[in-house]
Each structure stands twice: as structure tokens, then as C-alpha cells.
Amino acid sequence: MTKKVTLNDMTFVKMIEKSILKEKVKELADQINKEYEGEFLELIVVLKGAFIFASDLIRNLTVDHAIHFVQFSSYSGTKSTNEIKEKLAVNFDVEGKNILIVEDIIDTGNTLDFFIKKLKKKHPKSIHIAVLLFKPNAFKHDFPVKFKAFDIDDKFVIGYGLDLDEKARHLKHIYQLEEE
Ligand code: IMP
Ligand code: MG
């Protein structure tokens, strides 16, 4: 089993095993199924990082739903930049809908804060977030995160959809940057 991976001269150590990811994603889906029972859900998956999490999540959903994708860019290497660009926008009618944003990780929260504010102007019935990883010590906003799998330290992570300069998304486990 791969305990460490090296990428761009940095060492990453295994942090979350794939079997644990599988269990937690199922738990999150169960919570979502319960919360939206009898309702229709519009999932908005934030590309690219959330695509693997989303694909596992939706295969555990029993609630009726549709899937949409959006894309923003704000990261360069292992550092967040302040400027958020919308690369792929929402292209359905949000008004009166139950919106669930599916995101891989909330770091500063800048990306989702920007996106939630935009969505609210379109008057959805509800907006909630389902996120795999949350860095409480990096979070700079106060929007609620209803469905969350893991709180993690403020260190860069890769794997299970999360990249470092477009690499490492395919890794089955989640790896964390090793401290020097
Ligand atoms: P935020 O706007 O600072 O919350 O960061 C949002 C986006 O940056 C996430 O959706 C990720 O795509 C990316 N990101 C943040 N932290 C990490 C990390 O540790 N590894 C890989 N990508 C990250
Ligand atoms: Mg993301």
C-alpha cells in the first residue's frame, strides 16, 4: 500500500484511506437522502476537484436529483489566490429550487462565498453545501456547511479528485503534505 507519494519535489503522506472515504461518503448520502426525502434536488458539482467525490456520492443517493457543473479558478500550485474567475457558469433556472453545492474542499471559503452570493440573487428555495474536506483553521467566512465528511488540518492535500497543478487526481486515498 502506498504510504507516501512525491510530486513537484514535495512529499505527501497518506491521510485518509479509500475504505474510510467510501464509508463517510455513504453516511453523507444517507443524511442527504433523509433531508430531502420527497423533494427534488439540483446538485451543482464544482469542477474539477469534486468530480470523484460527486460520482461516489450520487451513486448512494435515492432522492430524485439532477446534476449540473460549474467551474471556478482561484488556485495556483499549493496557494489560494484572491481573485475568483468563473470558468463555467450555472445554466439552469435556479429560482424556487433546492440547491446542493457539491465541493471537494473548503479552504478559505472564498470560492463558495462568491458562488453562494451569486446563487442567492436567483432566489432558490434552499441552498446547502456537501463537502468532503473542510479546513476550519483556514476558513474566513461564516456560511453554514450542512453536509461535511471530514475536518482536516490547514495543510495541502491531494488525491480522490484533488490535484496539485492538475496532477494526482487519480490517487485512491487522500494524501497530505508532509511537514519538513
Ligand atoms: P477556497 O476558495 O480557498 O475555499 O478553495 C477552494 C478550492 O481550492 C477548492 O475547491 C479546491 O479545488 C482548491 N483547494 C483548496 N485547498 C486545496 C488542497 O489542499 N488541495 C487541493 N486543492 C485545494
Ligand atoms: Mg474544488
Side-chain angles (χ1 to χ4, degrees):
M1 201 128 287
T2 339
K3 277 225 159 74
K4 290 192 179 188
V5 295
T6 305
L7 197 57
N8 295 7
D9 291 329
M10 288 180 269
T11 305
F12 292 82
V13 288
K14 195 197 274 181
M15 182 181 65
I16 311 173
E17 171 79 33
K18 67 175 182 183
S19 60
I20 309 289
L21 289 167
K22 192 176 171 185
E23 264 172 40
K24 275 284 191 178
V25 171
K26 170 83 172 73
E27 272 176 36
L28 224 54
D30 289 344
Q31 288 172 30
I32 294 166
N33 289 330
K34 222 168 153 186
E35 177 73 23
Y36 296 96
E37 201 184 338
E39 302 214 44
F40 193 87
L41 189 55
E42 308 284 346
L43 298 177
I44 305 183
V45 179
V46 185
L47 292 173
K48 299 176 188 174
F51 84 109
I52 291 184
F53 167 47
S55 75
D56 284 344
L57 186 75
I58 62 169
R59 283 177 288 175
N60 285 289
L61 289 184
T62 52
V63 66
D64 285 337
H65 63 275
I67 300 157
H68 312 272
F69 296 97
V70 290
Q71 188 173 14
F72 305 97
S73 62
S74 71
Y75 249 75
S76 171
T78 60
K79 294 278 176 293
S80 180
T81 60
N82 285 327
E83 195 195 351
I84 295 159
K85 291 191 200 114
E86 193 172 35
K87 290 165 75 178
L88 178 67
V90 166
N91 65 353
F92 69 98
D93 189 10
V94 166
E95 191 172 339
K97 306 282 171 55
N98 291 309
I99 306 292
L100 184 63
I101 302 170
V102 181
E103 177 62 304
D104 53 352
I105 185 164
I106 297 175
D107 184 57
T108 61
N110 288 343
T111 311
L112 286 196
D113 189 64
F114 169 83
F115 186 39
I116 291 164
K117 282 178 178 151
K118 264 186 102 115
L119 279 175
K120 281 192 171 159
K121 291 185 188 149
K122 300 180 184 207
H123 310 290
K125 181 179 174 192
S126 65
I127 305 185
H128 290 297
I129 297 167
V131 71
L132 184 71
L133 307 171
F134 181 71
K135 294 180 181 169
N137 295 329
F139 191 51
K140 295 198 287 195
H141 296 273
D142 55 6
F143 56 79
V145 182
K146 193 167 180 80
F147 307 101
K148 176 181 70 173
F150 302 94
D151 277 329
I152 61 165
D153 289 345
D154 186 8
K155 291 180 194 165
F156 200 77
V157 288
I158 55 170
Y160 195 68
L162 291 115
D163 72 309
L164 171 59
D165 291 339
E166 297 300 329
K167 285 171 262 177
R169 296 193 195 277
H170 65 293
L171 299 175
K172 293 188 173 75
H173 318 284
I174 287 181
Y175 295 80
Q176 184 177 55
L177 184 60
E178 190 175 56
E179 293 291 292
E180 251 113 85

